[in-house]
């Protein structure tokens, strides 16, 4: 594995109006965190949840949260290393494929 990848899930407590009957953003964040840990055991990654309506003061994350709202993107929005890989109802297959580009290996400890 080349480096510890940063994953950011942008969402809100209120479910996206176009995403009725889908899990909440927070539920998606927790599900994604568990799924990645199972698929890539022992391989470190950083995952963070950012509330669209109360983002951190960090400029980049605050700016992207504003973009999600202004562009009416479906949330949650999953971003890996500044690349959007899922929106509304993120697909594990696409997220896993993106992580593999960074050297993550399915089912192996420490990418060995």
């Amino acid at each position: 594995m080349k480096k510890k990848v940063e994953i950011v899930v942008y969402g809100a407590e209120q479910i996206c109006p176009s995403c009725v009957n889908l899990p909440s953003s927070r539920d998606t964040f927790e599900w994604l965190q568990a799924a990645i840990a199972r698929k890539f055991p022992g391989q470190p990654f950083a995952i963070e949840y950012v509330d669209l309506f109360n983002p951190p003061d960090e400029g980049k994350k605050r700016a992207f949260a504003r973009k999600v709202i202004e562009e009416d993107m479906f949330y949650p929005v999953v971003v890996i290393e500044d690349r959007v890989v899922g929106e509304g109802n993120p697909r594990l297959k696409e997220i896993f494929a993106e992580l593999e580009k960074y050297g993550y290996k399915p089912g192996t400890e420490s990418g060995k």
Side-chain angles (χ1 to χ4, degrees):
M1 188 172 52
K2 296 175 182 118
K3 71 174 203 161
K4 183 177 179 179
V5 170
E6 179 184 35
I7 304 160
V8 183
V9 178
Y10 292 86
E13 294 305 315
Q14 174 185 345
I15 293 179
C16 170
S18 299
C19 303
V20 176
N21 297 323
L22 292 177
S24 71
S25 296
R26 179 75 64 183
D27 288 343
T28 299
F29 164 77
E30 292 170 358
W31 164 76
L32 187 57
Q33 186 174 26
I36 293 169
R38 275 192 311 273
K39 180 77 171 183
F40 304 105
Q43 298 170 71
F45 60 94
I47 186 165
E48 179 181 359
Y49 177 80
V50 172
D51 187 310
L52 294 171
F53 300 102
N54 190 20
D57 286 333
E58 185 182 328
K60 190 164 107 175
K61 290 180 180 155
R62 180 175 286 279
F64 190 82
R66 188 170 31 251
K67 177 182 176 179
V68 171
I69 295 166
E70 289 172 357
E71 294 183 8
D72 290 325
M73 296 173 77
F74 298 124
Y75 50 85
V77 177
V78 179
V79 177
I80 297 177
E81 294 295 324
D82 299 323
R83 182 174 182 276
V84 175
V85 295
E87 187 180 334
N89 188 16
R91 305 277 182 235
L92 281 178
K93 185 176 180 179
E94 294 168 16
I95 292 166
F96 291 163
E98 187 67 18
L99 288 170
E100 288 172 6
K101 290 178 186 176
Y102 289 92
Y104 284 72
K105 303 285 184 205
T108 61
E109 295 287 326
S110 300
K112 295 179 184 174

